[in-house]
Amino acid sequence: ETGVTQSPTHLIKTRGQQVTLRCSSQSGHNTVSWYQQALGQGPQFIFQYYREEENGRGNFPPRFSGLQFPNYSSELNVNALELDDSALYLCASSDGTVLREQYFGPGTRLTVT
Amino acid sequence: AQSVTQLGSHVSVSEGALVLLRCNYSSSVPPYLFWYVQYPNQGLQLLLKYTTGATLVKGINGFEAEFKKSETSFHLTKPSAHMSDAAEYFCAVRLGGGGADGLTFGKGTHLIIQP
């Protein structure tokens, strides 16, 4: 069974640029959630995709957007990067059942300069 | 809306001593509660969870937690600390039942183990 994988591991971007982060969900999982973890903080929920549609969103602006593909992998896109977007971005997948448990990937460390 | 408060950003215990990490939550409906551990430069690993049923929950690595509805608490304990337990610990809450999975996390507690 393959776990949740994320790419790239690290990324450095300049303010105002756009970035795309990728996540492959665990085998058999149809739901993907994205979280932002700033340094020294707990993760914050960005949004969730279930069967290719967004079905939940946290308190993040529209410049944070996503996609989920038919194989349930997912992308997180961030436009017009700001310095405060520097964080660890975590992807988590689950199987969509009532007692669903989220399995986290190792994260992508984004630095905005 | 739900929220989580973790008391103590840093907790230091001696190797072999009791570990107690505190978590209080607020939720408008019966919650699902979780404890995750994060080692440096890694993602989150689930230690244990409470959904329904028995209020004392046992997890991996000898950790357990007790759901106390009257105190809105879900404190994490381990009888005897090991050096390998040094890590960041996060308590999280999610609304029970259907709907989006978004977890609400506390700010975390850094556990330090003294030799």
Side-chain angles (χ1 to χ4, degrees), chain A residues 84-98:
Chain A
D84 285 348
D85 295 333
S86 295
L88 180 68
Y89 288 85
L90 296 165
C91 168
S93 72
S94 58
D95 63 7
T97 58
V98 172

Side-chain angles (χ1 to χ4, degrees), chain B residues 50-62:
Chain B
Y50 169 79
T51 53
T52 57
T55 57
L56 182 61
V57 180
K58 295 186 183 298
I60 62 171
N61 302 339

Side-chain angles (χ1 to χ4, degrees), chain A residues 17-58:
Chain A
Q17 288 186 317
Q18 178 266 342
V19 69
T20 297
L21 309 182
R22 295 178 174 80
C23 170
S24 291
S25 59
Q26 185 164 312
S27 177
H29 287 183
N30 56 19
T31 304
V32 173
S33 302
W34 285 92
Y35 293 83
Q36 179 195 68
Q37 185 179 16
L39 198 62
Q41 300 295 316
Q44 286 193 290
F45 176 64
I46 302 175
F47 47 56
Q48 175 181 279
Y49 278 81
Y50 172 68
R51 293 186 175 181
E52 302 179 56
E53 291 197 4
E54 184 182 303
N55 75 334
R57 191 176 184 94

Side-chain angles (χ1 to χ4, degrees), chain B residues 4-60:
Chain B
V4 175
T5 302
Q6 290 184 240
L7 297 176
S9 59
H10 291 78
V11 170
S12 180
V13 303
S14 298
E15 189 174 19
L18 172 71
V19 174
L20 171 60
L21 304 183
R22 300 178 187 274
C23 172
N24 288 89
Y25 70 91
S26 68
S27 176
S28 56
V29 298
Y32 290 174
L33 295 159
F34 306 81
W35 274 99
Y36 284 86
V37 62
Q38 186 176 36
Y39 297 100
N41 300 313
Q42 294 187 26
L44 301 174
Q45 180 182 13
L46 182 68
L47 282 176
L48 48 79
K49 64 181 178 183
Y50 169 79
T51 53
T52 57
T55 57
L56 182 61
V57 180
K58 295 186 183 298
I60 62 171

Side-chain angles (χ1 to χ4, degrees), chain B residues 90-114:
Chain B
F90 294 96
C91 181
V93 63
R94 176 169 70 79
L95 297 180
D101 280 342
L103 294 168
T104 299
F105 285 87
K107 292 188 175 182
T109 297
H110 185 65
L111 179 61
I112 301 163
I113 310 297
Q114 304 282 2

